[in-house]
Amino acid sequence: MQITARGRHRVPQASVPGQTFAMGDVFSDGVRPDGEQPVHPVRLPAYEIDATTVTVSDYREFVAATGYRTEAETYGWSAVFHLAVAEGSEIAGRMAGTPWWLGVSGADWAHPAGPTSTAADDHPVVHVSWNDAQAYCTWAGRRLPTEAEWECAARGGKPSQRYPWGDTLPAEWPCNIWQGTFPTVNTADDGWVTTAPARSYEPNDYGLYQPIGNVWEWCADWFSPSYYAVSPLDDPRGPKTGAARVIRGGSYLCHDSYCNRYRNAARSANTPDSSTGNTGFRTVAL
């Protein structure tokens, strides 16, 4: 639907100073199809980015003002992790190659585990597609961050580090990721089985909460594993076309045994109409 109303974006802002930084994976942690290399310099002007992901409460205000229906609502289902499905939910299908993802009828941003579940206001909104995130941005007078802006902000001014805080995971869990045996046993040692409140754990040095872990975050760019080899120095915007949009930061499902993408340099992608229980977004000022 066409968004004509204009709303108020209430997410606190973090300031990222203009700078040149090294973008990409200096540790060779990633896999080749993700295209995290070559490491290359990127120069960005200063910008303002959301300190947290957009929350359920923020998205509810948008929906109430516009009557917008997400693509999950239009399709009638969305992807829910198998251990998170609400009791009594109808399974519409299974995801090819990832049987731990179930298509659950009635799962959407307000009902993240199925139609009988309720989304917590202070948690990241999930089950929003790239198109749904764009619709919010139009209403709020915002935009999705470019992939370069996202990585620069996540690094928090600390160059070439694996995580926002350093190169290793400390004993105290610094982010919301999987503990246990993926995908069958989650010990929830960090306190969370699925999403944590958007303002959880310590922010990075720019004031961003949970740029890694918790939920994947949509970026503006089309995805290409070969883009870094041709990326311009100044304010890169990604390929001109593509089949999938970039997602960044990993989620509560990331674990070294399967997906170690809870890193500053890690990248992945999904089609613009896809929605899952572990993907949300944050925005940037126009």
Side-chain angles (χ1 to χ4, degrees):
M1 65 179 292
Q2 184 175 6
I3 304 298
T4 57
R6 178 58 62 87
R8 180 182 175 187
H9 184 66
R10 302 181 187 275
V11 180
Q13 297 297 286
S15 297
V16 180
Q19 61 190 276
T20 300
F21 77 103
M23 184 171 179
D25 173 22
V26 302
F27 298 96
S28 296
D29 288 330
V31 296
R32 186 175 295 275
D34 287 349
E36 295 180 23
Q37 294 176 330
V39 177
H40 56 288
V42 167
R43 184 164 56 208
L44 296 174
Y47 57 99
E48 300 282 313
I49 188 170
D50 291 342
T52 72
T53 49
V54 172
T55 66
V56 171
S57 178
D58 299 320
Y59 208 78
R60 179 178 288 112
E61 185 174 354
F62 157 63
V63 169
T66 62
Y68 182 81
R69 295 186 74 232
T70 59
E71 292 188 300
E73 292 170 285
T74 301
Y75 296 151
W77 67 276
S78 189
V80 180
F81 187 69
H82 71 114
L83 297 182
V85 176
E87 186 175 354
S89 296
E90 177 185 350
I91 306 304
R94 296 177 183 270
M95 307 298 109
T98 53
W100 46 86
W101 281 112
L102 303 178
V104 175
S105 297
D108 58 41
W109 70 272
H111 310 92
T116 62
S117 65
T118 302
D121 278 355
D122 61 345
H123 283 231
V125 68
V126 292
H127 296 294
V128 285
S129 67
W130 187 90
N131 296 321
D132 298 330
Q134 284 287 90
Y136 175 91
C137 287
T138 298
W139 172 78
R142 307 283 293 182
R143 63 178 176 83
L144 291 175
T146 65
E147 186 177 15
E149 287 172 333
W150 188 96
E151 183 170 323
C152 181
R155 290 188 177 280
K158 295 181 176 179
S160 302
Q161 294 192 155
R162 182 176 277 117
Y163 308 114
W165 57 83
D167 292 335
T168 60
L169 283 174
E172 287 287 326
W173 290 102
C175 60
N176 180 16
I177 55 177
W178 184 279
Q179 298 91 44
T181 304
F182 186 86
T184 55
V185 178
N186 187 348
T187 60
D189 290 344
D190 62 2
W192 306 100
V193 174
T194 59
T195 59
R199 191 183 286 265
S200 297
Y201 303 95
E202 289 296 316
N204 74 4
D205 285 358
Y206 287 156
L208 272 72
Y209 288 85
Q210 300 191 85
I212 67 168
N214 213 23
V215 295
W216 284 101
E217 301 178 21
W218 288 112
C219 292
D221 309 38
W222 289 110
F223 175 80
S224 168
S226 60
Y227 181 70
Y228 282 11
V230 297
S231 176
L233 169 65
D234 286 303
D235 198 13
R237 299 296 172 118
K240 292 183 178 180
T241 61
R245 297 286 184 174
V246 172
I247 52 176
R248 283 297 206 118
S251 81
Y252 58 83
L253 295 180
C254 279
H255 186 270
D256 281 349
S257 67
Y258 176 71
C259 170
N260 71 335
R261 294 185 179 95
Y262 52 97
R263 296 175 288 106
N264 291 328
R267 52 200 309 253
S268 192
N270 209 341
T271 56
D273 62 348
S274 293
S275 63
T276 68
N278 69 336
T279 304
F281 68 101
R282 72 179 76 214
T283 74
V284 168
L286 293 174

